[in-house]
Amino acid sequence: MKKIILLCAVLAVLAGAYSCTKLDVPVESQYVKSNFPITDADYNALLGTIYSNLSSNYAVPYWRMQELSTDEAILPARDGNFDDGGQYRQLHYHTWTFDHANVTGVWQWGFGGVNTCNRIISVINASPSSEEKKTASIAEVRAMRALYNYFMMDLYGNIPIITDFPVANLPATQSRAKAFQFIESELLNVIPQLPVKNGSNATLYYGRPTKAMAFALLEKMYLNAQVYTGTAKYTEAVAMADSVLKNSNYSLDAKYRDIFLPNNGPQINETIFAIPYDQQIPGNQFTRFGFFYYLVNAYGFNVGLSIAMSTTPEFYNRFNLPGDARTKTWLAGPQFAPDGSGGFTNQPVYYPGTTTQIYIEPKLTLVPGKPMDLGNTIASQSEGVRSIKYYPDPTIIQATRLNGNDVPVFRLADVMMMKAEAILRGATATTVNGELQTPDVLVNKIRARAGAPAVAGIDLDGLLDERAREFSWEAWRRNDLIRFGKFEVEYPLPNDVLTMDKSVTRRIYPVPAAEIRLNPNLVQNPGY
């Protein structure tokens, strides 16, 4: 999958570089409807654009809309540096507008992906290849189109549903409930044609939709159905979870840390759907924006990295369970050299040219009178707990500063935790593979893998905290807080001069103004 994504990116660059020169070259080969796509290589080249588009914005702009709008991530200014026109504090304080860079860019990214899927379906329909190949490939594309539409529905609520290519008429806004029904029906329709992960095909279908991916996406939709449609579907969420849990080829990996290392990939047993990245595939810049600059030498880097992004003290305070390995995915307190496998040695790391051990303060104190600005002294730079969940990639290069860690979208732990929540919200516990899976049973499996103590009688508030520990920086925090009715809860910082917009209309983003100007059939969301 990484090779396919990289090939698509290279072809796009070459096409742009040579599109207006050498127009008199002889045609030696030609792809037309009568001969493309036919081979597996043809289909890989054709479908690869879906995945290269997905990776391009998922781990930065899309991720920021889901995480910087919550207590889980914050990108403060440092004496004006990293302010970038206030776009990050606008996300953090829920004061974004209909022309915010991410609001516009992510809309175009998501519906660009939908348009790509529709175009590819039209090409496949005209292909001379076998009906079996066409059916399987169209199912894959429709599953990916459903995923793009889900991202858009979750962010923007009321969205257009576009299935034709080329688009004959300007599409009109559909209600969130209708968008939900469309995505649900698409997934249910294609599940019979999607592959099942088994012991021999994990690599082949890594980063591509499988039956389990569709089940997990439906489970996520059903768990949030009360928010999306006004009708609860917790029993349906449990049924989708069981459809995944019955497949013994998915299991919790022994070490939590392994899931997010730079060399993660098809060998991770609990990955249901991930987005592949490497140093040439644009998109994964967690180390560039979220690492701590003064640690670059200790981690073996020879590149310029940021000091900017961290988490809030309130969020980090949840990492308080004895023995919990998930706590080690954060940099806080005195810093020690890494051991190369996700842990630390006993060797202190010093500020350059000193004998002062680096100390990262788990607090954020804003400069009085400045909006979300920490100042830019070494002391203020050292404030803010940093995440190394996507463990810093030692092969990162200056030219791109991209991580090679693949980023999971759906994994088995989430399927289990969503099932536990659905049961707490009223669904009936079910038996899978001879085991009655109550919320405590499911959550304690995840806790045991992390080395955290078992819990007895977990409730919804406890489950939300457990989701925070398990899925931090995996782009689900906004989704979780809205479902729990806590998206508008403020997390004040010392010397704060800004206040959060607590209107519930902020639970969905506005339709970009630029898109409404282009398409008057789009209707702006309430409150904007």
Side-chain angles (χ1 to χ4, degrees), residues 114-164:
V114 169
N115 186 64
T116 296
C117 291
N118 291 337
R119 174 180 59 81
I120 289 173
I121 289 173
S122 71
V123 173
I124 295 173
N125 278 330
S127 166
S129 56
S130 70
E131 289 302 315
E132 180 181 8
K133 182 66 175 178
K134 290 165 67 171
T135 298
S137 297
I138 288 175
E140 178 177 349
V141 177
R142 288 174 67 186
M144 292 303 299
R145 186 177 65 183
L147 181 64
Y148 275 115
N149 274 306
Y150 172 75
F151 290 154
M152 297 299 96
M153 178 194 70
D154 182 66
L155 288 173
Y156 299 97
N158 310 302
I159 60 172
I161 302 299
I162 310 166
T163 59
D164 54 336

Side-chain angles (χ1 to χ4, degrees), residues 203-271:
T203 299
L204 178 62
Y205 294 113
Y206 181 73
R208 298 167 63 183
T210 60
K211 281 183 169 61
M213 179 269 213
F215 291 140
L217 178 50
L218 282 166
E219 183 186 9
K220 186 72 70 174
M221 290 176 61
Y222 291 145
L223 186 66
N224 289 280
Q226 184 76 54
V227 173
Y228 295 149
T229 71
T231 301
K233 290 182 175 290
Y234 300 122
T235 298
E236 292 88 338
V238 169
M240 292 300 103
D242 290 351
S243 296
V244 178
L245 293 165
K246 290 174 183 177
N247 185 343
S248 60
N249 290 291
Y250 295 103
S251 61
L252 293 179
D253 288 85
K255 293 182 179 180
Y256 181 77
R257 179 37 108 195
D258 290 350
I259 306 168
F260 308 97
L261 291 176
N263 64 349
N264 63 352
Q267 77 277 13
I268 303 301
N269 295 316
E270 70 181 76
T271 298

Side-chain angles (χ1 to χ4, degrees), residues 297-414:
N297 291 332
Y299 280 75
F301 296 140
N302 187 29
V303 298
L305 298 173
S306 170
I307 57 168
M309 194 162 61
S310 64
T311 190
T312 64
E314 290 78 10
F315 185 80
Y316 177 67
N317 287 341
R318 293 177 174 84
F319 289 80
N320 55 4
L321 302 179
D324 192 341
R326 297 169 297 190
T327 303
K328 295 180 181 179
T329 64
W330 301 98
L331 296 177
Q335 294 302 296
F336 296 89
D339 63 7
S341 59
F344 306 95
T345 68
N346 294 322
Q347 178 63 43
V349 180
Y350 304 107
Y351 287 101
T354 76
T355 56
T356 302
Q357 186 176 7
I358 293 175
Y359 191 94
I360 296 179
E361 290 278 1
K363 66 179 183 179
L364 295 168
T365 306
L366 304 181
V367 176
K370 287 191 173 184
M372 210 172 91
D373 196 315
L374 292 173
N376 206 24
T377 65
I378 290 182
S380 65
Q381 290 173 6
S382 302
E383 289 191 6
V385 176
R386 270 66 168 190
S387 172
I388 55 168
K389 182 170 188 173
Y390 303 98
Y391 193 76
D393 188 345
T395 64
I396 194 171
I397 59 177
Q398 178 66 40
T400 61
R401 291 181 286 179
L402 298 172
N403 281 45
N405 320 58
D406 298 345
V407 177
V409 179
F410 299 111
R411 55 188 181 93
L412 188 65
D414 197 7

